[in-house]
Amino acid sequence: MTTPAVAEQARRLPWHRQLGPRCAAGAARLLVRLPPARLHRVLGVVSKGSRPAGYAEVAYARRSVVSVSTRCAGLGCLQRSVATVLLCRAHGRWADWCTGFRTEPFGAHAWVEADGRPVDESGEIGVFRTVLAVRRPDGRGTASDDRPLHPSEGSRS
């Protein structure tokens, strides 16, 4: 997957809010070792029965896993994206999980989308062609309920 020059920064979570993101990052670390087709199938099964996640809650989940895992904050876009959707799923929600590539210069990347747009990704994400994706269970482009994962977290984008 692509390599950022600088690791992402996220505000550190209080210790009592770190368990979920740490578990998601740990599970993601194991899952990303699977072959791509099997990972795709596993995430498809995990997504069953969930409701669509809104942009604000997916952004919060992404910031949470980045704050507790150096791999998710830096070189691990695949682990970061899997950990983000797993954390959302732990709250009964699902966001679009995507992987893709670009040709010039060649690069691969994994990311999460919500409300039809990539969550906290750079502007160049549009040059990537999606190869594998696990889309929202309802198949629509917008979430029906955009409550944050945690009540104290406002709806920031």
Side-chain angles (χ1 to χ4, degrees), residues 101-107 124 127-128:
F101 70 95
R102 66 175 180 221
T103 54
E104 290 189 26
F106 181 81
E124 70 177 33
V127 301
F128 286 91

Side-chain angles (χ1 to χ4, degrees), residues 4 11 14 82 87 110 112:
R11 190 167 47 156
V82 171
L87 185 57
V112 177

Side-chain angles (χ1 to χ4, degrees), residues 30-92:
L30 297 174
L31 287 174
V32 300
R33 294 180 179 187
L34 295 174
R38 182 166 291 170
L39 174 61
H40 183 256
R41 280 194 307 270
V42 168
L43 292 179
V45 169
V46 170
S47 73
K48 300 276 190 232
S50 61
R51 295 175 298 175
Y55 189 94
E57 62 189 318
V58 177
Y60 178 76
R62 189 178 187 282
R63 283 191 305 271
S64 296
V65 297
V66 165
S67 75
V68 299
S69 169
T70 55
R71 182 176 295 268
C72 290
L75 303 175
C77 64
L78 182 58
Q79 183 177 339
R80 177 176 55 244
S81 64
V82 171
T84 300
V85 295
L86 291 177
L87 185 57
C88 288
R89 184 61 183 105
H91 293 274

Side-chain angles (χ1 to χ4, degrees), residues 13-19:
L13 292 174
W15 66 270
H16 62 279
R17 295 199 205 277
Q18 291 184 13
L19 181 61

Side-chain angles (χ1 to χ4, degrees), residues 77-142:
C77 64
L78 182 58
Q79 183 177 339
R80 177 176 55 244
S81 64
V82 171
T84 300
V85 295
L86 291 177
L87 185 57
C88 288
R89 184 61 183 105
H91 293 274
R93 305 303 182 96
W94 191 260
D96 296 342
W97 173 80
C98 306
T99 61
F101 70 95
R102 66 175 180 221
T103 54
E104 290 189 26
F106 181 81
H109 190 51
W111 65 96
V112 177
E113 294 180 356
D115 298 333
R117 58 189 171 137
V119 176
D120 293 345
E121 294 288 338
S122 67
E124 70 177 33
I125 196 76
V127 301
F128 286 91
R129 179 178 175 172
T130 303
V131 176
L132 289 177
V134 178
R135 301 285 179 192
R136 293 178 181 192
D138 69 352
R140 293 183 305 200
T142 59

